[in-house]
């Protein structure tokens, strides 16, 4: 029996829209990462980007459990000596609410060119409006 590997011509991409209102960050991010990788498809092949495009709306209203609003930190380094910068989830939500979901999903995808290609299919919006109506995205329900 031979192992089947999908080819680029076999890939059919769909568009999904997810309403993040009231959903826990991690639960949402795992479902989105699965859709972006294409693991929900029967023809899944690990070394090919088979995933679908995902539009997330109401990202500003995503839920964090416990005391994470004040205790969860996001760190980055500027590249200069002593240049580590930190921001809490609360401050990140006030300034860039889309980045909360983007950071969570990006860290669940493969590292390297394949993961970057998958991440480009994620579109996150803080409010309820999005400019992707022409792609006719299907509603995707995330169970909590």
């Amino acid at each position: 029996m031979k192992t089947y590997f999908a080819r680029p011509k076999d890939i059919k991409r769909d568009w999904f829209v997810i309403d993040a209102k009231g959903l826990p960050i991690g639960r949402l991010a795992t479902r989105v990462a699965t859709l972006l990788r294409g693991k929900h498809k029967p023809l899944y092949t690990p070394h090919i980007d088979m995933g679908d495009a995902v539009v997330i709306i109401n990202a500003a209203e995503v839920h964090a459990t416990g005391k994470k609003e004040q205790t969860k930190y996001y760190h980055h380094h500027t590249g200069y000596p002593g240049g580590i910068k930190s921001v809490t989830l609360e401050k990140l939500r006030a300034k860039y609410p889309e980045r909360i979901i983007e950071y969570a999903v990006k860290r669940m995808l493969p590292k390297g060119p394949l993961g970057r290609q998958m991440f480009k299919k994620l579109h996150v919006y803080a409010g309820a409006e999005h400019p992707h109506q022409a792609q006719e995205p299907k509603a995707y329900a995330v169970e909590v």
Side-chain angles (χ1 to χ4, degrees):
M1 188 166 191
K2 294 185 177 182
T3 302
Y4 177 78
F5 288 112
R7 297 187 182 126
K9 67 177 183 176
D10 301 332
I11 299 170
K12 182 187 173 295
R13 299 197 195 282
D14 293 321
W15 281 71
F16 293 106
V17 63
I18 299 174
D19 188 0
K21 190 174 193 174
L23 294 175
I25 298 167
R27 302 282 173 96
L28 172 66
T30 55
R31 302 316 192 286
V32 172
T34 302
L35 290 172
L36 291 174
R37 287 199 73 181
K39 290 185 106 175
H40 62 291
K41 297 182 179 183
L43 298 179
Y44 172 69
T45 305
H47 65 278
I48 294 176
D49 180 14
M50 300 199 56
D52 298 322
V54 179
V55 178
I56 299 177
I57 57 173
N58 293 322
E61 299 175 37
V62 74
H63 178 67
T65 58
K67 296 181 180 178
K68 289 189 188 119
E69 288 287 332
Q70 294 81 28
T71 59
K72 181 171 178 60
Y73 283 90
Y74 293 93
H75 306 287
H76 75 277
H77 200 281
T78 63
Y80 289 95
I84 191 147
K85 302 288 182 181
S86 301
V87 63
T88 62
L89 176 62
E90 187 175 37
K91 289 181 183 176
L92 189 66
R93 183 188 305 272
K95 194 166 185 182
Y96 304 109
E98 304 90 9
R99 290 190 190 172
I100 296 169
I101 296 174
E102 288 173 358
Y103 287 156
V105 172
K106 188 170 190 172
R107 292 168 184 178
M108 292 182 184
L109 293 175
K111 310 311 182 258
L114 181 63
R116 289 190 291 272
Q117 185 180 358
M118 292 174 181
F119 184 69
K120 287 179 185 176
K121 296 187 311 261
L122 177 65
H123 309 277
V124 184
Y125 299 97
E129 299 298 318
H130 65 87
H132 301 286
Q133 294 300 332
Q135 283 75 27
E136 298 175 2
K138 298 178 226 164
Y140 187 84
V142 176
E143 306 86 29
V144 177

